[in-house]
Amino acid sequence: MTAVSGARRGRRRSAASAGADRAARPGAVWILPAVLFFGVFAGVPLLLTAVLSFTDWNGLGTPNFNGVANWRHALTDSAIWESMRISLVFMVLCWVVQTPLALLIGVWAAGRELNRAVLSSIFFLPLLMSTAAIAITWRVLLDPNFGLAATVGPWIGFPDGNIAGDQHGALGAVVVVIAWQFVPFHSLMYQSATRQIPKMLYDAALIDGAGRFQQFWHITLPQLRNTIITSSVLMLVGSLTYFETILIVTNGGPGTATMVLPQRMYNSAFQSFQMGYASVIALVLAALGTALSLVIVRFSGYGKMRSTLEGI
């Protein structure tokens, strides 16, 4: 009898606990503002862009429905494929350059010393500047006649200093400009994440005789795994949408050396006045960014959201 009563009490407690858990969980109404915000500012514009992609419209008057003509043209347009290749190369270069710099600066800036705090505040100044101001500043610096490029250019293989005007140097110049602007943002992420790593891990490694490099390789990097994935997603997807910097610094040139997909979309819409064709490019960019994010989350294991502190 006692065992039966105990089992009943246990079931009642379990049911009460489950009810409390359900009561503690936020209801679906809590996500309504986010859904409305996304729908108004992302879903509706994306839907309108999809509709425009099936029209022939110059930006004035009434759009004329032309079926899949824009999509058929995009599939056979060598210029689009060339811009996609440049965009992918640009994306990889941005990640290769920014990730090591941001990681090392962020880990270094996580120290509590006063000099690191002062230097960190200087490193993060580009975050306070607008993209247009940064691009204009670097355009002046890259001027082959009066800018810094006139001095630095001959050192790195550009005798005339025209780095941004060279087929082989223009894309690299844009990558440097964008890295200068966005490395501080990603460094801030790594700085914050590094400060969350328990000090006892480093103390234990020090007792075992591990040096600084071994501590960084076997403790810091594994603990920053989720931050690296998050930073990489933002960096890779963001590099597909960079436009202002390229427009101001190189305007897609010389030739088509920096003609990434956003620049091609801008030219199609506001120079050729082919709004329907530009809408196709916009949808391609949205699809690439979404697919890239899903692939990274799927194959990195980030979707499991397991804590790096598990077992500590």
Side-chain angles (χ1 to χ4, degrees):
M1 189 70 178
T2 303
V4 173
S5 300
R8 288 176 178 173
R9 286 195 298 271
R11 285 195 295 270
R12 284 196 295 269
R13 282 196 297 270
S14 299
S17 177
D21 289 341
R22 284 194 296 270
R25 294 174 184 171
V29 70
W30 291 97
I31 68 171
L32 186 60
V35 171
L36 289 175
F37 184 86
F38 179 83
V40 171
F41 293 101
V44 173
L46 191 63
L47 179 61
L48 293 176
T49 302
V51 172
L52 280 178
S53 69
F54 295 100
T55 65
D56 179 17
W57 187 43
N58 63 0
L60 299 174
T62 303
N64 300 314
F65 180 77
N66 66 349
V68 296
N70 292 326
W71 290 92
R72 188 182 299 112
H73 177 47
L75 289 175
T76 58
D77 189 358
S78 60
I80 292 294
W81 292 103
E82 176 66 11
S83 292
M84 186 177 296
R85 183 192 67 80
I86 295 172
S87 295
L88 294 176
V89 171
F90 178 66
M91 178 184 67
V92 173
L93 287 176
C94 284
W95 186 86
V96 170
V97 171
Q98 292 184 50
T99 299
L101 289 174
L103 178 60
L104 293 175
I105 293 174
V107 172
W108 178 85
R112 304 291 180 176
E113 294 83 357
L114 179 60
N115 65 321
R116 300 194 186 197
V118 173
L119 290 175
S120 295
S121 64
I122 298 174
F123 292 156
F124 299 145
L125 281 178
L127 289 176
L128 306 177
M129 301 174 63
S130 70
T131 300
I134 290 173
I136 292 173
T137 301
W138 275 93
R139 182 173 181 175
V140 174
L141 291 173
L142 290 170
D143 187 281
N145 299 312
F146 310 105
L148 186 63
T151 302
V152 177
W155 301 348
I156 56 177
F158 299 92
D160 57 355
N162 194 15
I163 303 174
D166 186 89
Q167 286 280 348
H168 303 288
L171 193 63
V174 174
V175 169
V176 170
V177 175
I178 290 177
W180 188 85
Q181 179 181 5
F182 288 105
V183 160
F185 170 75
H186 296 280
S187 297
L188 198 61
M189 295 177 59
Y190 288 119
Q191 181 192 44
S192 177
T194 302
R195 287 182 174 176
Q196 305 305 313
I197 301 176
K199 188 175 181 296
M200 62 180 179
L201 295 178
Y202 296 101
D203 293 337
L206 192 61
I207 293 174
D208 291 338
R212 287 191 176 183
F213 177 78
Q214 291 175 313
Q215 293 177 30
F216 174 80
W217 188 259
H218 295 288
I219 298 176
T220 306
L221 277 182
Q223 292 293 315
L224 293 179
R225 176 174 175 269
N226 289 341
T227 306
I228 293 173
I229 296 172
T230 303
S231 173
S232 296
V233 170
L234 295 174
M235 199 178 295
L236 293 172
V237 176
S239 64
L240 290 174
T241 60
Y242 292 147
F243 166 69
E244 307 100 305
T245 302
I246 296 176
L247 176 67
I248 295 173
V249 175
T250 65
N251 195 26
T256 59
T258 57
M259 187 64 68
V260 292
L261 279 175
Q263 180 75 42
R264 180 74 64 182
M265 178 181 65
Y266 171 82
N267 291 350
S268 297
F270 300 106
Q271 291 185 2
S272 302
F273 301 104
Q274 297 176 341
M275 298 298 177
Y277 193 55
S279 298
V280 173
I281 302 176
L283 292 174
V284 170
L285 277 170
L288 282 176
T290 303
L292 184 62
S293 301
L294 293 176
V295 168
I296 293 175
V297 171
R298 172 66 178 84
F299 290 100
S300 66
Y302 183 73
K304 298 178 180 178
M305 293 297 292
R306 297 186 62 179
S307 173
T308 54
L309 301 181
E310 184 175 343
I312 296 178

